[in-house]
Amino acid sequence: MKYFSVTTEYLFKLEKGKRFIVLFLLSLPVGIAMSFANPIGALYGWLKGYTAGGDSFEDVWTFLGAVPASVSGVGIAAAFILMLFFMSVSSTVISRSLRVGVFGIKGVFRDFNEGFIPVLQAVFGYTVAVLLIKVVATALMLLAQGTLNVALSAILSVGFLILAYFAVASLMSIGIMYLPYMTFNGLNSFNAFTAACSGASGKTFYRMLGAVVVPMAVCFAIMFAVGVAGNRWASLVVESVLNSAIVTYYLTLAFLSYYEILGLVREDYPKDYFYYKPRRKGR
């Protein structure tokens, strides 16, 4: 869990959590939109009322109405637009801290303008990839729905859903340096993703997969557990907070991984990190 440790150190230990607070607040609008786009807690209602046979592609896509298509569609569109703005600002803040050792927002629109083009390409690429994965997973789940045995159909559907999330996690792991390569090196989208895949291959991929999957699984488990309680407002609040934390974590992980994997020197360590000495007893 090397990359997980490095990321949590950056967010919580250096500057005593200030970095996490700033980046979390920037991610909060995105997290709220994501809670409408893909409410994990609603999956409990889908499993509770699961039926086999006679369902359409739209029924499976919306988990039998557990996630209304209109709400999900508006949530996806809102999340996409909000990501472009707030992730552009956040990526500039993180990259600047690593390059020159200064963490903070110099100017919201200035920082947005500096990070916009790389973030636009990254968000668009990942959004298309995730939607394609969901299309494939929905098609497989529709086939599973054709099984007359409800228990077998439910097991297959859940299995395909888990595979879809694992596919997304694998994509994020292999392409973790996709955005940083565009930000720091100015590469176009294709060359950046190729370079990212090359850098995160082999053993690095498996280490990165752990850093991606474990936080995702823990947060999704909490979201699902809150959904079991059946309180929609509680689910909305919890999922908004956890989604914001996930966005903050993964964006930070991407830039720190770039420095760690390529062996670059970071400039973001404050002096007291190296020179701090605990007070002696009796003083």
Side-chain angles (χ1 to χ4, degrees):
M1 298 294 285
K2 169 185 175 182
Y3 301 109
F4 174 81
S5 300
V6 170
T7 304
T8 52
E9 177 192 60
Y10 177 93
L11 290 172
F12 298 104
K13 187 174 183 179
L14 303 183
E15 299 190 57
K16 300 178 181 179
K18 168 192 170 183
R19 299 180 180 184
F20 174 76
I21 293 173
V22 171
L23 296 173
F24 175 82
L25 291 176
L26 286 171
S27 300
L28 190 56
V30 178
I32 294 172
M34 288 175 64
S35 69
F36 286 96
N38 185 38
I40 303 300
L43 296 180
Y44 173 72
W46 165 64
L47 285 174
K48 187 177 179 181
Y50 190 90
T51 58
D55 296 318
S56 65
F57 188 89
E58 181 180 355
D59 291 332
V60 179
W61 179 275
T62 62
F63 298 106
L64 302 179
V67 185
S70 58
V71 175
S72 179
V74 171
I76 291 172
F80 181 84
I81 294 171
L82 291 170
M83 279 183 183
L84 295 183
F85 184 81
F86 289 102
M87 285 181 64
S88 295
V89 178
S90 295
S91 66
T92 300
V93 170
I94 297 171
S95 62
R96 183 193 298 124
S97 73
L98 295 173
R99 286 186 289 107
V100 300
V102 178
F103 182 90
I105 301 174
K106 296 297 183 181
V108 173
F109 291 101
R110 172 186 168 182
D111 289 346
F112 162 74
N113 184 63
E114 184 176 332
F116 175 67
I117 297 301
V119 169
L120 171 62
Q121 296 180 82
V123 171
F124 179 79
Y126 277 119
T127 300
V128 171
V130 170
L131 288 176
L132 287 175
I133 290 172
K134 180 163 184 180
V135 168
V136 174
T138 301
L140 292 173
M141 290 167 68
L142 184 60
L143 291 175
Q145 288 277 330
T147 305
L148 296 180
N149 187 307
V150 177
L152 177 60
S153 177
I155 292 172
L156 290 174
S157 293
V158 171
F160 290 138
L161 188 60
I162 292 174
L163 285 175
Y165 280 113
F166 185 76
V168 172
S170 298
L171 177 66
M172 291 176 61
S173 299
I174 195 68
I176 195 69
M177 296 188 292
Y178 177 40
L179 176 57
Y181 263 116
M182 289 188 286
T183 300
F184 291 124
N185 299 70
L187 300 180
N188 61 38
S189 185
F190 177 79
N191 289 335
F193 189 74
T194 302
C197 292
S198 176
S201 59
K203 293 182 179 180
T204 302
F205 168 75
Y206 295 105
R207 295 193 189 101
M208 190 62 65
L209 190 62
V212 170
V213 170
V214 173
M216 180 186 292
V218 171
C219 288
F220 283 5
I222 295 173
M223 294 178 193
F224 186 83
V226 174
V228 172
N231 189 317
R232 177 59 185 139
W233 289 107
S235 290
L236 180 62
V237 171
V238 171
E239 293 195 22
S240 295
V241 171
L242 291 178
N243 283 330
S244 303
I246 288 173
V247 172
T248 300
Y249 170 77
Y250 285 138
L251 187 61
T252 307
L253 174 66
F255 284 94
L256 292 180
S257 297
Y258 177 87
Y259 270 75
E260 289 293 322
I261 292 173
L262 298 184
L264 303 178
V265 178
R266 289 167 47 187
E267 302 294 339
D268 66 299
Y269 285 102
K271 290 182 180 180
D272 59 0
Y273 180 84
F274 297 102
Y275 297 109
Y276 170 76
K277 293 181 181 180
R279 296 179 61 181
R280 295 181 182 177
K281 294 181 179 180
R283 287 192 177 185

